[in-house]
Amino acid sequence: MVRNQAKNSDSIGGLARAAGVGVETVRYYQRRGLLPEPPRPPGEIRRYGDQDLRRLRFIRRAQAAGFTLEQIGELLALDRTGDRARVRELATNRLAALDERIAELEQSRAALERLRSTCAAGSKGPCPIIEAFDGS
């Protein structure tokens, strides 16, 4: 059974499982300053809660949207300031970059579709798909 929530006393392993990431990912985000490291009581292990899980999921979703870790750090910092104008600016820039990448992918798709059609139409000589990628 996959857990959807971190217990208030979850270890780093429990937090990682609840978020669907590895322990090393959690540690990496901590080293980068994106995820706080809770205090460690003497002789005990660090404990993580729902707030940590929400932040970890935010980081993963922002990465999936294409934000860099630096931008994610800025977004997290901006959340405390309420600077919505800067958040909108970051989102607008990210949308423009996604639109550009989508256009590139659509061009690549169209080119590959043309090559596939050309390949299917002929039966002699080298395959145009392989020639196109060979660069000769």
Side-chain angles (χ1 to χ4, degrees), residues 11-31 35 48 52-53 56-57 59-60 63:
S11 66
I12 193 169
L15 174 67
R17 276 190 301 280
V21 301
V23 169
E24 282 307 311
T25 300
V26 175
R27 289 187 178 128
Y28 178 72
Y29 293 152
Q30 288 174 330
R31 286 191 303 272
L35 189 65
Y48 298 83
D52 299 303
L53 179 59
L56 185 52
R57 286 182 174 159
I59 294 166
R60 300 299 287 174
Q63 276 188 303

Side-chain angles (χ1 to χ4, degrees), residues 51-134:
Q51 198 62 9
D52 299 303
L53 179 59
R54 278 191 292 280
R55 181 173 278 225
L56 185 52
R57 286 182 174 159
F58 170 82
I59 294 166
R60 300 299 287 174
R61 289 179 185 137
Q63 276 188 303
F67 285 98
T68 66
L69 292 180
E70 290 78 18
Q71 291 168 329
I72 293 168
E74 185 176 358
L75 287 170
L76 289 167
L78 287 169
D79 184 45
R80 291 187 297 273
T81 67
D83 186 354
R84 289 184 175 205
R86 178 64 182 142
V87 173
R88 278 192 311 274
E89 179 184 350
L90 287 168
T92 298
N93 292 343
R94 187 68 215 127
L95 283 170
L98 285 172
D99 288 342
E100 185 177 317
R101 182 69 177 132
I102 288 168
E104 290 171 0
L105 288 170
E106 286 174 343
Q107 289 175 353
S108 294
R109 185 182 193 291
L112 188 55
E113 183 61 41
R114 285 190 301 276
L115 288 169
R116 185 178 71 137
S117 296
T118 304
C119 184
S123 59
K124 295 186 180 186
C127 173
I129 296 172
I130 295 174
E131 278 188 328
F133 292 132
D134 183 27

Side-chain angles (χ1 to χ4, degrees), residues 12 27 37-48:
I12 193 169
R27 289 187 178 128
E37 194 169 333
R40 182 180 192 162
E44 295 185 28
I45 62 172
R46 289 181 176 88
R47 297 295 179 177
Y48 298 83

